[in-house]
Every structure is written in structure tokens, then in C-alpha cells.
Amino acid sequence: MDRLSRRDFNTKLAKVTGAVALMSVSSLACAMGPNKDVKKLGIALVGLGSYSAYQLAPALLETEHCYLAGIVTGTFEKESIWARKYEIPEANIYNYENFDDIATNDAIDIVYVVLPNSMHADFSIRAAKAGKHVICEKPMAMNVEECDAIINACKANNVKLGVGYRLHSEPYTQEIKRIVKEKPFGAINYISADAGYRSTSDPDQWRLNKKLSGGGALMNMGVYAIQSVIYGTGENPISVSAQEYSTRPDYFKDTDETITAQFEFKSGVVGNIMTSHNIRGNRLFASCERGWYELDPASTYIPLAGRTSSGTLNFPQESQQKLQMDDFAKHILFDNPNKAPGEMGKRDMIIVEAIYTSIAAEGKKVDLNFLPNYGFGG
Ligand code: NAD
């Protein structure tokens, strides 16, 4: 069989595979009435780097409402390796050039873009035009303009859009949101968040190349710290002032190494973040009128840990990626809340741009009072 006719054959096979994925899901049967078959949605991962290989694909073996149906890769050798490992039919394997053909593949419901940041907008928009729901990894894009383009493409093509903010599906993070809502320790006075690691490997990696990453620590880890101060207070900031530090300029030639930023909030909360590709940091801490709460670590995969002034938090540990992708599938299948909508990714990019603007103006306070309230995740 040549490649084309084999693709036709496999497209049929993929539809059969999709049909096999019609599963009775007992928890849903309760909600929808007995004996209702619920389709597991097919996800195609675009970009088979470390996050796809070591986190998302293994998580998709555990998900209840979606499964790994396809792959999109620029590396030909990965096709057969992944096909064998995850039993992916050839009809569901694409490269960057023929990716748009995915439009005719009924086995793929969701395209998950896991590429360097500079490629997020292009592939998210192409996925939306192909009529597929989109999950786009963080940071959502290179800038606010690209975020808007992704959001508009998804709206125009009537598909759902989520950002890969896995923590919104994670139980310790949910508990912080509950504390923020119920205020058992009274009003919050101060919030601080750190997100960083020490980068020493390949100085030519894409994360340190501004054309591919859009920026350094702030784009990569800073979005976690920004997220933390927002869900950790339940408020958007109204202003930011920021500073940049460079201690290893020979290694960080093109992108920011360490950034600190201070936020004001309408309620009077004062906030501070530190993000770095040179300094380890993985913490959220809030001081309140009558106590405090903390996650440490706050943004690693698993396990997170947390404490409050009343005691230790203790929640079961599950794959955050499994929870996140199931939540997005339930958003599509049952209209459950979208825990990390595209607008949230755009809001964070507005803050990222404001931080870079403040740094360029030597720490000048930048107004954020116009930020729309996109919600703090379900
Ligand atoms: P990676 O470097 O391990 O993989 C990148 C993939 O993109 C590779 O398969 C590579 O072949 C492909 N690629 C295509 N064009 C490329 C180019 N010009 N240069 C380099 N690679 C190219 O990266 P990763 O860690 O898998 O990150 C991918 C995306 O996922 C990023 O946006 C990152 O921020 C995000 N991410 C999110 C989390 C999370 O917890 N949500 C964790 C890790 C990564």
C-alpha cells in the first residue's frame, strides 16, 4: 500500500478506533441517566518534546474523558516510536506541513499545542480553522496580539480554547481558592510568589532564544507566579512595578534571567513575585489579618504541599495533567466550566507585557486597572 492509500485505509481504521473509544463512564452515567454511552474525546499532541513525552502522553493513559488519538511531529523518527508505544494509527499521524489535513479526521476532537512559544499562535489558529478544539500550552503566545488572534480564531470557528494551566485542576490550588473565597483568616494583606529554577544546560535551547520563547524566565516561569498572586488573592492587580537582574550575562545572552515585580490590588493587598532561570523558587505565601496560608512547592507537577496557620493541608496526589485534560474534555462534553480559558492566558500576557514595560522604564509603575475580570478558574 502506498502512503496515500494507506492513509485512506487508516482514516477508516481511525474512525473505528474512535468508535471503540465510546465508553460507558459510570460517574457520568449517574449525571446523565443510566446506559448512556459517553464518547472519549480524541486528543492530538502537537510537538513531542519532553512535556508531551513525559507528562501529557502518560497522563492520557489515565484520563477518563479523552485519550491520545493522534500526534503531530516535525521529527520523522518519532512517528513509528510513538505509533508503537501508544497504538496510534498512521492516519492519525501528521507532520507540520500536512497538519491542516487533520480537519477531515473525525478521530481527533482536540489539538493540544506543546511547541516552543513562537509556534503556539500558528498551530492553535490552524487547529481552530480545522474545526478542532484547542489546548494551547503556557505562555499562551509571544504577545497579547497573538493571544487575541488565537481567541478570535477559536470564536470564529466555534471551537473551545483552553490554556495548559494544569494547576487549576489541582486540589491544593483549589483549596487556596476556597480559602480566598471564604476568608477564614480575615482579609489578605500580603501575597508573594516565587517561580524559578537554575538553568545550566544547553545555552542554545529554545527557552533562551528570544525569537522562539518571546522572553526568558518571565515567559516560562513568571506566568506561574503571576497566576499565584491572582488566584491567591482572588483579584487582578491594578498596577505593577518591576526590576530585572542579570548575574550570568554570558549564559543569558538573549533573555531575562531574574525578575522581581510588585503589585498593588484594589483591596489594598500588596504583592511581590520573583521569577528566575537562575534562582530556585516554588512558593506561594499569603499573610492575612488572623493567619496565613502557603503552598511550597506551589507549581511543580506532583506532589504539591501546603500549610496554613491552622495546620497542614493534605490532599490525594493525582496527575495534574490527567485532571486538567479531563476538565477540558468535560467542558466540551458537558459544558462544565472552562478552568483556564484563553482570556485568562491573554490577561497574564497583558501583565507580562506590563512587567517588561516597567523594566524598560526603570521600574516605573504601570497601570493595570483596566484588566477585565476573566475569572480565577472554576
Ligand atoms: P521541548 O524543548 O522539550 O520540546 C519542544 C518540541 O518542539 C520538540 O518536540 C521539538 O522537536 C519541537 N520543535 C519544533 N520546532 C522547534 C524549534 N524551532 N526549536 C525547538 N524545538 C522545536 O519543550 P517542552 O518542555 O516540551 O515545552 C513545550 C511547550 O510546553 C512550551 O510552550 C512550554 O512552556 C510548555 N510546557 C508547559 C508545562 C506545564 O507544566 N504546563 C511544562 C513544560 C513545558
Side-chain angles (χ1 to χ4, degrees):
M1 234 186 287
D2 65 28
R3 192 179 166 95
L4 200 66
S5 56
R6 201 161 54 218
R7 176 171 285 278
D8 284 350
F9 169 78
N10 279 308
T11 300
K12 291 192 180 93
L13 184 66
K15 286 182 178 161
V16 174
T17 314
V20 172
L22 284 168
M23 306 255 318
S24 230
V25 180
S26 55
S27 57
L28 294 168
C30 295
M32 302 179 65
N35 302 324
K36 283 266 191 312
D37 284 333
V38 177
K39 185 180 187 277
K40 266 193 169 193
L41 299 179
I43 293 194
L45 293 175
V46 189
L48 307 179
S50 57
Y51 194 53
S52 284
Y54 301 117
Q55 302 300 328
L56 297 174
L60 282 163
L61 296 173
E62 292 179 43
T63 37
E64 290 172 40
H65 303 292
C66 50
Y67 73 107
L68 182 57
I71 51 174
V72 184
T73 177
T75 311
F76 179 69
E77 301 76 58
K78 289 184 186 171
E79 292 187 4
S80 56
I81 296 169
W82 278 67
R84 258 199 316 276
K85 186 164 181 186
Y86 292 103
E87 296 176 11
I88 297 168
E90 191 181 328
N92 296 358
I93 299 175
Y94 296 86
N95 56 46
Y96 301 149
E97 286 71 40
N98 68 14
F99 169 65
D100 307 279
D101 296 348
I102 209 164
T104 58
N105 190 335
D106 292 342
I108 311 294
D109 303 287
I110 301 168
V111 166
Y112 194 154
V113 179
V114 202
L115 290 162
N117 308 340
S118 60
M119 301 167 82
H120 288 188
D122 181 25
F123 278 84
S124 296
I125 291 167
R126 284 166 72 183
K129 286 184 176 162
K132 306 299 177 185
H133 304 292
V134 180
I135 308 177
C136 177
E137 253 317 319
K138 50 63 51 180
M140 185 171 161
M142 299 288 271
N143 49 47
V144 175
E145 198 181 341
E146 284 191 357
C147 292
D148 273 329
I150 298 172
I151 291 168
N152 291 339
C154 288
K155 278 191 185 141
N157 290 284
N158 203 23
V159 296
K160 312 275 192 190
L161 170 62
V163 180
Y165 284 145
R166 58 191 154 76
L167 293 170
H168 286 285
S169 300
E170 188 282 327
Y172 285 84
T173 311
Q174 299 299 332
E175 176 62 5
I176 296 299
K177 290 186 201 171
R178 187 195 66 76
I179 292 171
V180 167
K181 266 189 208 136
E182 297 178 9
K183 298 206 177 348
F185 309 114
I188 306 160
N189 303 128
Y190 175 71
I191 181 113
S192 115
D194 298 341
Y197 62 87
R198 186 170 162 82
S199 179
T200 53
S201 60
D202 182 11
D204 294 326
Q205 61 183 285
W206 68 262
R207 281 186 172 84
L208 305 183
N209 176 338
K210 198 169 177 189
K211 273 204 184 98
L212 296 173
S213 62
L218 182 62
M219 290 288 275
N220 184 25
M221 301 305 289
V223 290
Y224 289 111
I226 290 168
Q227 283 263 309
S228 288
V229 296
I230 294 176
Y231 70 70
T233 58
E235 285 186 76
N236 284 330
I238 56 169
S239 78
V240 66
S241 316
Q243 306 77 34
E244 180 177 356
Y245 304 89
S246 170
T247 64
R248 291 164 60 205
D250 290 347
Y251 181 78
F252 298 105
K253 288 194 177 78
D254 200 26
T255 55
D256 44 280
E257 173 189 317
T258 298
I259 284 177
T260 53
Q262 302 76 47
F263 295 98
E264 289 178 307
F265 295 83
K266 204 171 256 162
S267 65
V269 179
V270 173
N272 190 52
I273 66 166
M274 185 285 291
T275 186
S276 181
H277 272 162
N278 189 49
I279 300 168
R280 291 183 191 90
N282 194 345
R283 185 170 182 242
L284 173 164
F285 173 79
S287 178
C288 310
E289 281 174 325
R290 297 188 299 278
W292 51 268
Y293 47 90
E294 170 183 67
L295 293 184
D296 184 356
S299 58
T300 32
Y301 303 144
I302 43 173
L304 295 196
R307 286 159 292 280
T308 74
S309 42
S310 301
T312 304
L313 303 177
N314 200 354
F315 293 99
Q317 299 288 345
E318 266 189 285
S319 158
Q320 296 170 9
Q321 290 79 7
K322 167 195 178 261
L323 296 170
Q324 170 214 334
M325 290 185 281
D326 266 342
D327 275 342
F328 188 67
K330 286 191 273 184
H331 171 55
I332 295 166
L333 289 168
F334 316 120
D335 212 19
N336 284 15
N338 186 350
K339 294 199 165 182
E343 286 81 0
M344 184 187 272
K346 174 186 162 180
R347 175 203 63 197
D348 296 347
M349 195 54 59
I350 293 171
I351 297 172
V352 162
E353 288 190 356
I355 289 173
Y356 284 132
T357 301
S358 173
I359 290 167
E362 296 186 350
K364 189 168 171 276
K365 196 184 279 188
V366 176
D367 180 35
L368 287 170
N369 210 358
F370 60 92
L371 278 181
N373 186 348
Y374 292 128
F376 305 108

